[in-house]
Amino acid sequence: MVGYKSMALGQLLALAGAASMLCVNGFVPATFGARSINTELAAATVKGDIDTRTGKPTGTSFLPAETVERAKVGNKIEKTKIAKDGSSAWSDIYEYAAKIRAGELDWKDIEGGDFNSRFKFAGLLHRDKRTPGQFMLRLKVPNGIINSDQLRFYADSVEKYGTEVGVIDITTRANIQLRGVKIEDAPDIIDGLHARNQT
């Protein structure tokens, strides 16, 4: 695990042009089998593991080929992650929201794999049986500290969904969950959170 993390860090630095500042093998013992940054980066570029929409490496570009092959025959969640990279979920959320707002798409037309696994990368969890078409948005709150502006924003974000569905939960770990969020409203909420330095 440590070896993969240091390889991923090395690849990110290599992409940023700072590969000379990091020696990957310095982070892990040689027994972990860490490969050189240049070999991994060349393989990622050759395999086409760059997301064309975001211009960034895909989540699988950091994995060994045998791991990717194992995932292709794995469970349906792993197959979904191989077919559509999870790191591009944000782009998809914005695209789906725009299409729903324009009337070109209904939430029922979005693939189940997006709803039930990929959108989790952005903190959106779909609850099929309880609130179909609506999500719970999980937020991280460092040390459980929020300010009045953030709390007002949470309330404004879910108020339109009514008192039964539009609820703000404070979890036992002092995080926040916004319930009732619809996909067409998610980009505005995500942008508002980012404006308040929150994810």
Side-chain angles (χ1 to χ4, degrees):
M1 181 74 120
V2 174
Y4 292 119
K5 287 182 180 178
S6 63
M7 284 192 316
L9 177 61
Q11 289 173 344
L12 288 173
L13 290 172
L15 288 173
S20 61
M21 297 180 349
L22 175 70
C23 173
V24 172
N25 290 330
F27 279 96
V28 294
T31 56
F32 276 89
R35 296 177 237 175
S36 81
I37 295 171
N38 294 336
T39 305
E40 289 291 321
L41 189 59
T45 307
V46 170
K47 289 192 294 188
D49 287 347
I50 303 295
D51 190 319
T52 56
R53 294 179 303 160
T54 63
K56 297 179 181 177
T58 64
T60 57
S61 65
F62 301 104
L63 298 173
E66 58 272 10
T67 303
V68 174
E69 290 304 315
R70 244 187 358 255
K72 287 180 181 176
V73 295
N75 64 37
K76 68 179 185 177
I77 293 172
E78 293 303 320
K79 289 178 182 177
T80 298
K81 289 191 285 188
I82 292 294
K84 285 179 151 182
D85 190 51
S87 62
S88 65
W90 283 270
S91 301
D92 291 341
I93 289 168
Y94 280 78
E95 287 176 20
Y96 289 144
K99 288 180 181 179
I100 290 171
R101 287 177 184 165
E104 300 171 9
L105 184 72
D106 186 54
W107 71 268
K108 294 175 185 173
D109 299 330
I110 298 173
E111 293 178 41
D114 285 339
F115 261 12
N116 298 318
S117 71
R118 288 185 64 247
F119 286 178
K120 289 180 184 178
F121 283 82
L124 288 169
L125 290 93
H126 188 238
R127 301 174 68 209
D128 280 328
K129 296 174 186 165
R130 185 130 173 134
T131 55
Q134 294 179 314
F135 292 84
M136 176 178 65
L137 178 59
R138 286 195 172 144
L139 312 177
K140 294 292 181 193
V141 182
N143 300 317
I145 299 171
I146 59 174
N147 60 38
S148 61
D149 179 50
Q150 290 170 322
L151 196 54
R152 282 187 198 99
F153 178 74
Y154 305 153
D156 292 342
S157 297
V158 297
E159 184 178 30
K160 61 183 148 198
Y161 305 123
T163 57
E164 292 294 316
V165 180
V167 177
I168 303 169
D169 292 330
I170 300 174
T171 69
T172 56
R173 293 186 175 99
N175 287 318
I176 300 289
Q177 295 176 346
L178 305 178
R179 294 184 183 267
V181 175
K182 293 188 177 181
I183 194 73
E184 58 266 30
D185 301 327
D188 295 334
I189 296 172
I190 292 169
D191 290 343
L193 292 168
H194 290 171
R196 289 162 179 81
N197 295 318
Q198 194 171 10
T199 59

